[in-house]
Amino acid sequence: MQPPTIPPGRRLLQFCLGLWLVQVAWLGWWFAPEAADLGRRLLSGQVGPVIQQQDPFVQWLASLAAVIPPEAAYLFADRYEAGKDIIARYHLYPRTFHRFNPEVPPSFLFSTIARTGATFLIIRDWEVPPAWDFLADGINPGFKAVPGLEPAWVFRLDPRQLVGGYYD
Amino acid sequence: MIETILGLPALLGGLASIVLAGYGLLLLLPGADDLTPAERLALGFGLGALALTVWMLALTRLQVPFSLATVAAPWLAPLALTLALPSRRRLWSRDCRGLCSWPRTLVQTARNSPVPALAGLFAALIALTFLFATLRAVLYPIWAWDAIATWGLKAKVFYLHRALYLGNIDAHNYYPNLVPLLMTYLYLWFGGVKDWLVQGLFPGWGACLLLLFASFLRRLGVSALGTWGACAFVLTSGATLIVHLYIAYADLALTFYTLALTGLLFLKLKNCAPRGSLGLAALMGAALAWSKYEGWPLVLIVFLAAFLTLLWLRPPGWRRHFAALVVVLGTIYLSTLPWRLFVRGLGVDVGSDHLLGFFPDQFLLAVYYVGLALIWPPYFSLFFPAVLLALGWQWRTVWRSPNLFLALFLGGSLAATILAYAVAPTAAAEFPLYVRGTVDRLLLHVVPALGLALAAPLAAWLPDSPSA
């Protein structure tokens, strides 16, 4: 008696099925770290808002929110690649956000302040170049450092007292 | 943990209200009784999302603040009307019975399939994936880049202002707002910006997507086992679709509406569509254009593929079909006008920077990157090779059958993706990163719709057992 023949289409289907199941196993390995973290958090009950509250950056933003009034606008000096500016904007809303590229010359800072009416300047993580010394020395009366928000620099701005007086 | 558990009833209530808003409207459309209960549920969700969010746009124009009463209450009227009509009341009771007996039906179908173990494996894979995605969605706060930068931010802003307010944010303000408004609607249910619970929207949407995909496959003659297998295959081929089940991006919505529009037109071309499918296609197309900036180009690609298929095949009455499709496309275009006029009224720039030039170097690189993305395991793994294999298997007939529509849609969407990269205003050094960060999403939009190409080989190789 002849064994039953399997149609070629079925054979191809079986091959694809086998290949896909191998891929599913690989997918399990791919998601394993996330699944493990999920399991840990479920067991410890540290989920939802607790995850945000544990994040040092979000904690820092909460202390920043206590300083900046909700109706104020602020300049956030950071490179967008870091992805921190979008988190700051999200958590600090309804405060009006303006991102500011720290690689521009100081004169651009003055024009941006004038254009946006920002009353706070936040410099998150930046090696300040010599041209920006007027911030560190506190010689410009338009910039008043806000203590207690280190390691970032936070300045309260008073646009009426801003003094430029140089060309770059 | 307690806050999350206490918020779950509000989440479920919010999701149910979206379905009910759409379900009420759907039952009032001609041909609603020709849909299966699964189709009514899935399309009801899609239609509810469209209706609620367009209404929220209208409320903003009327300067009426968002609240549960102003946003959700008007949709009780069509629901009440359907309960008053005896023919629609019958559908209600049939669907409620179907929903209650759903787990038993699933087990029975698995038992009756020719290979019960395989059916069980597919079902377990789907269930496990959704369990993981749902927990991952609702237990973690909003986190992915665009979720924080665009969609989640807008949802928070709209909720805090109780209106579609774009006054003090700059987050692609010209993008359509179906997803952020729907998240805002859920915040109204929660009574606050609970940005972890709101992500429960996405696994729910994914379940509707899979339900619709399965329904379309069944209409195309695929067996129960084949349908389960195809659903599990589409869901777990690569990581992209799974990840989009738990991040607050608009791409899952776009994927859902692309499947709905493409599937309904494909069924129409194959003469196995439910009655009133063109009206539904118009609504799904409108939702597609309202989901994301890429929505309208996708609508055009789908209709171009349908027009070319009709012109090539010239089936009986093709001129009438052609004219009907032109009307549907025109209706979809008209549906985009309220948003276009709204943003024009605000003086918002509409992203014309994407059309300022063509960069040949980027074009060549895009051909390479998109080609690579089609087979890159973490993206879609075996999916695109399987679709190409399925179309290749039908190569003798594909030119003489409505399957040509899917082949043209595949070609058109890939060409559009490559072209979009060729005109993207990106610095040369950043271009590879830009492609890597976006190509999986652009391909995801067409994945379930192209999964319908698997129907023909599955129907041929895995015929339904008489009892299934």
Side-chain angles (χ1 to χ4, degrees):
Chain A
M1 195 173 142
Q2 288 239 324
T5 53
I6 302 171
R10 275 283 183 99
R11 229 181 259 283
L12 183 64
L13 194 67
Q14 284 168 352
F15 173 74
C16 290
L17 186 68
L19 208 60
W20 170 60
L21 288 176
V22 171
Q23 186 268 164
V24 167
W26 170 82
L27 203 63
W29 170 80
W30 176 271
F31 281 108
E34 272 190 67
D37 186 66
L38 181 64
R40 265 196 306 274
R41 291 193 178 278
L42 259 179
L43 288 175
S44 64
Q46 298 198 326
V47 296
V50 179
I51 298 175
Q52 267 174 353
Q53 287 153 13
Q54 287 171 339
D55 182 346
F57 185 61
V58 176
Q59 285 170 6
W60 177 72
L61 289 174
S63 44
L64 204 56
V67 173
I68 307 176
E71 66 282 359
Y74 61 97
L75 294 183
F76 195 87
D78 206 352
R79 289 176 193 85
Y80 81 93
E81 297 93 322
K84 296 291 184 185
D85 61 327
I86 55 169
I87 300 172
R89 178 173 63 167
Y90 181 79
H91 286 279
L92 292 177
Y93 194 85
R95 295 151 191 88
T96 305
F97 164 94
H98 297 279
R99 184 158 53 78
F100 179 73
N101 187 344
E103 285 173 0
V104 297
S107 58
F108 192 76
L109 171 68
F110 286 80
S111 70
T112 307
I113 293 169
R115 184 170 51 81
T116 60
T119 48
F120 284 86
L121 169 66
I122 300 153
I123 301 174
R124 186 184 67 85
D125 176 23
W126 183 35
E127 281 291 322
V128 180
W132 292 77
D133 279 351
F134 63 92
L135 289 177
D137 297 337
I139 52 173
N140 197 318
F143 298 88
K144 290 201 169 58
V146 180
L149 290 164
E150 290 77 11
W153 287 5
V154 178
F155 296 93
R156 201 184 297 272
L157 307 177
D158 183 354
R160 287 167 306 177
Q161 296 196 54
L162 285 180
V163 179
Y166 58 87
Y167 297 94
D168 52 20
Chain B
M1 184 67 133
I2 291 167
E3 200 179 351
T4 304
I5 292 168
L6 290 177
L8 284 177
L11 172 64
L12 294 175
L15 293 178
S17 74
I18 297 169
V19 175
L20 286 173
Y23 186 80
L25 288 174
L26 197 66
L27 290 199
L28 293 177
L29 294 177
D33 49 354
D34 212 18
L35 297 169
T36 63
E39 284 166 344
R40 280 194 289 270
L41 177 69
L43 291 170
F45 185 87
L47 195 55
L50 171 69
L52 285 164
T53 52
V54 170
W55 177 239
M56 289 167 93
L57 175 64
L59 286 176
T60 302
R61 284 300 292 222
L62 298 169
Q63 298 188 328
V64 177
F66 297 163
S67 68
L68 266 187
T70 56
V71 178
W75 305 102
L76 292 173
L79 266 184
L81 194 61
T82 56
L83 285 169
L85 295 169
S87 64
R88 294 330 195 205
R89 209 164 45 230
R90 271 197 296 278
L91 289 180
W92 262 98
S93 61
R94 196 194 302 169
D95 290 352
C96 287
R97 274 201 309 275
L99 202 63
C100 294
S101 62
W102 184 63
R104 194 154 38 89
T105 314
L106 272 185
V107 173
Q108 213 164 8
T109 315
R111 275 196 192 141
N112 291 344
S113 84
V115 195
L118 206 54
L121 176 73
F122 294 150
L125 260 179
I126 294 170
L128 198 67
T129 306
F130 271 96
L131 177 70
F132 167 70
T134 307
L135 290 173
R136 185 71 182 77
V138 299
L139 296 182
Y140 286 73
I142 210 161
W143 60 278
W145 186 294
D146 279 6
I148 292 177
T150 308
W151 312 111
L153 174 73
K154 282 184 171 180
K156 183 177 179 177
V157 172
F158 299 163
Y159 176 76
L160 293 179
H161 289 273
R162 300 293 196 274
L164 201 165
Y165 177 79
L166 298 165
N168 67 340
I169 56 164
D170 181 11
H172 300 295
N173 290 1
Y174 59 93
Y175 277 12
N177 286 301
L178 185 141
V179 169
L181 282 172
L182 207 59
M183 290 166 73
T184 305
Y185 174 68
L186 288 179
Y187 287 153
L188 293 173
W189 274 84
F190 303 153
V193 181
K194 296 184 178 176
D195 62 11
W196 58 102
L197 278 175
V198 80
Q199 294 181 118
L201 172 66
F202 298 93
W205 216 323
C208 288
L209 184 147
L210 219 57
L211 211 54
L212 194 62
F213 180 63
S215 303
F216 286 162
L217 287 181
R218 292 295 277 163
R219 280 188 185 272
L220 292 166
V222 180
S223 66
L225 180 65
T227 301
W228 286 30
C231 285
F233 178 73
V234 166
L235 186 64
T236 61
S237 284
T240 308
L241 181 53
I242 299 174
V243 170
H244 280 264
L245 294 179
Y246 61 82
I247 57 174
Y249 277 34
D251 298 278
L252 191 68
L254 202 75
T255 307
F256 173 87
Y257 291 118
T258 306
L259 169 68
L261 175 65
T262 312
L264 287 166
L265 292 189
F266 184 50
L267 293 175
K268 188 78 186 166
L269 290 168
K270 287 194 81 106
N271 287 324
C272 55
R275 274 188 300 117
S277 58
L278 283 186
L280 265 176
L283 289 165
M284 294 300 118
L288 179 55
W290 176 225
S291 297
K292 225 182 156 202
Y293 196 53
E294 294 94 319
W296 176 242
L298 261 174
V299 169
L300 290 179
I301 293 166
V302 172
F303 274 85
L304 185 64
F307 287 142
L308 290 174
T309 306
L310 275 178
L311 281 173
W312 180 257
L313 298 176
R314 303 198 174 205
W318 70 274
R319 285 191 178 85
R320 192 167 36 82
H321 284 308
F322 198 95
L325 287 186
V326 170
V327 171
V328 172
L329 182 60
T331 311
I332 297 172
Y333 177 74
L334 288 178
S335 76
T336 65
L337 291 181
W339 172 243
R340 284 170 195 245
L341 293 174
F342 185 87
V343 283
R344 185 170 291 181
L346 296 177
V348 172
D349 181 24
V350 289
S352 57
D353 54 342
H354 284 267
L355 302 171
L356 290 181
F358 178 85
F359 307 102
D361 292 354
Q362 286 186 192
F363 176 77
L364 293 175
L365 275 173
V367 171
Y368 169 72
Y369 285 131
V370 171
L372 195 65
L374 293 178
I375 52 166
W376 187 244
Y379 288 170
F380 300 102
S381 181
L382 301 170
F383 177 79
F384 282 101
V387 166
L388 290 174
L389 206 63
L391 288 171
W393 177 76
Q394 308 162 66
W395 70 275
R396 279 178 202 278
T397 57
V398 82
W399 306 107
R400 297 193 300 272
S401 75
N403 289 344
L404 177 63
F405 168 67
L406 292 179
L408 288 172
F409 177 57
L410 170 65
S413 51
L414 289 182
T417 305
I418 290 167
L419 192 65
Y421 284 126
V423 298
T426 316
E430 283 193 353
F431 185 69
L433 286 173
Y434 173 61
V435 176
R436 210 177 300 157
T438 51
V439 70
D440 56 339
R441 280 187 269 160
L442 292 179
L443 292 176
L444 172 68
H445 301 157
V446 298
V447 160
L450 287 174
L452 297 176
L454 303 173
L458 282 175
W461 297 338
L462 279 178
D464 228 336
S465 66
S467 54

